[in-house]
Amino acid sequence: MENKKSRFLKIFTCFLFAVAVFAMFFYVIFVGDVTHNALSFACVATCFVLSLLFLKVKNSKALITFALAVNVVADYFFVLMPEHATVANLVLYILCGLQFVYFLYTLTFCKGIGLKILNIALRVGLCLIAYFLAERYWTLTVPQIIEMMCFINSFVTLLALLVNIKKDWLLFLGFLLFFASQFFGMLTLGGWAEILGTSGRFFEFITSNDLSYYLYIPGLLLISLSSVLFKNEKKG
C-alpha cells in the first residue's frame, strides 16, 4: 500500500512537471510558433517522462504511458520535421496506433466478456456506418477516411472513460480535451471544414487561435497526471 511519503513525492513531482509544462506552453503561445516549435514538442515529451517516472509495467496504467510515448513519436515528426512530404500520412498512421492503445486500455476495465465484445462491436459498427455514409455523400481521400475512423474510435474511447469516470475522472478530463483537440485539428488540418461546409466566424476563430494546440497540451498533461496519481488494477 502506498505510504504518505510516497504519495507526497508523487504529488510534489507532478506539481514540478506541471509547472514546467505550463511554463513552456504559455511561452510558446505568447512568443513562438505554436505548431512547429521545439518547446511544443518538449511539452509532449515532458508529459511522457512524468508518466514514466512512476511506471509499473504490470499495471494497466502502463498502457497510458505507452500511449504518451506514441504521442511523442507522432509529434517528433509533425513538430520537428514538417518539411517532409510524407510526414502528414506517417503521423496519421502513428495516431491510428495511438487509438489502438487506448482501445486496449478501455478493455482492461470492461467487466466480463460481454462488455468487451460491446466495446469492439460499437467501434466496428460506427466505423462501417460512417464509411458507407461518407462514400455516399462526400468524396474523401484515403487519409481523410483514416482520420474519420480514428475520430470515431476516439469518441468510443471517450464514452468508455465516461463510464469509468468515478474511478479515474482525471483521465476522462484529459482525454476529453484531447478529443476536442482532435476535432478542431480535423477541421483545420484535415480539411473537414470544407467537407462539412463549416464557415463563418466560428471557423475563423478556430483557425486564427490554434484551438487544437491549446487543448492538446493540457489534455496530455492531465492524462499523464492520471497515470501517476490514480491507481489501477493489474492487467489481466
Side-chain angles (χ1 to χ4, degrees):
M1 186 175 179
E2 191 176 56
N3 57 45
K4 291 183 179 180
K5 288 184 178 180
S6 178
R7 186 68 176 175
F8 175 79
L9 177 61
K10 281 187 176 183
I11 294 174
F12 183 69
T13 303
C14 287
F15 173 76
L16 292 180
F17 272 75
V19 169
V21 169
F22 277 117
M24 292 184 289
F25 175 66
F26 285 116
Y27 180 84
V28 171
I29 289 176
F30 292 115
V31 178
D33 174 12
V34 168
T35 305
H36 305 299
N37 191 299
L39 282 181
S40 296
F41 175 72
C43 288
V44 179
T46 303
C47 291
F48 166 65
V49 171
L50 173 60
S51 70
L52 194 63
L53 290 178
F54 299 95
L55 174 66
K56 294 182 179 179
V57 177
K58 293 184 178 181
N59 194 293
S60 59
K61 282 293 186 180
L63 287 169
I64 301 300
T65 299
F66 186 66
L68 290 168
V70 176
N71 277 114
V72 170
V73 175
D75 282 294
Y76 171 78
F77 290 106
F78 181 74
V79 177
L80 302 182
M81 302 176 64
E83 68 279 0
H84 291 265
T86 60
V87 163
N89 289 342
L90 177 60
V91 170
L92 186 57
Y93 298 142
I94 294 173
L95 293 179
C96 287
L98 176 66
Q99 293 303 323
F100 182 71
V101 175
Y102 278 115
F103 156 66
L104 292 179
Y105 178 76
T106 61
L107 291 181
T108 64
F109 56 76
C110 287
K111 302 296 182 181
I113 189 67
L115 288 178
K116 288 181 171 63
I117 293 175
L118 177 62
N119 190 330
I120 298 170
L122 187 59
R123 294 172 189 273
V124 174
L126 289 177
C127 285
L128 288 175
I129 292 172
Y131 175 77
F132 287 116
L133 287 176
E135 284 288 298
R136 182 175 180 179
Y137 294 106
W138 302 308
T139 301
L140 302 179
T141 64
V142 172
Q144 287 171 336
I145 293 173
I146 295 175
E147 192 172 33
M148 178 179 66
M149 299 303 177
C150 285
F151 183 75
I152 291 171
N153 275 276
S154 187
F155 174 70
V156 177
T157 296
L158 184 65
L159 291 180
L161 295 177
L162 177 60
V163 173
N164 197 52
I165 191 172
K166 288 185 178 181
K167 293 184 179 179
D168 200 343
W169 56 269
L170 200 57
L171 178 58
F172 171 76
L173 290 179
F175 198 85
L176 178 62
L177 293 179
F178 177 80
F179 177 77
S181 170
Q182 188 179 3
F183 172 72
F184 290 127
M186 282 181 62
L187 288 179
T188 54
L189 300 176
W192 279 88
E194 295 180 6
I195 294 171
L196 299 174
T198 304
S199 60
R201 293 182 179 178
F202 178 67
F203 180 65
E204 291 177 2
F205 177 75
I206 294 173
T207 54
S208 61
N209 289 279
D210 295 301
L211 285 184
S212 180
Y213 174 79
Y214 295 163
L215 296 171
Y216 180 64
I217 297 301
L220 288 189
L221 179 60
L222 290 177
I223 291 172
S224 177
L225 291 173
S226 77
S227 71
V228 175
L229 298 177
F230 279 75
K231 301 177 182 178
N232 211 333
E233 304 125 9
K234 294 180 179 180
K235 284 186 66 178

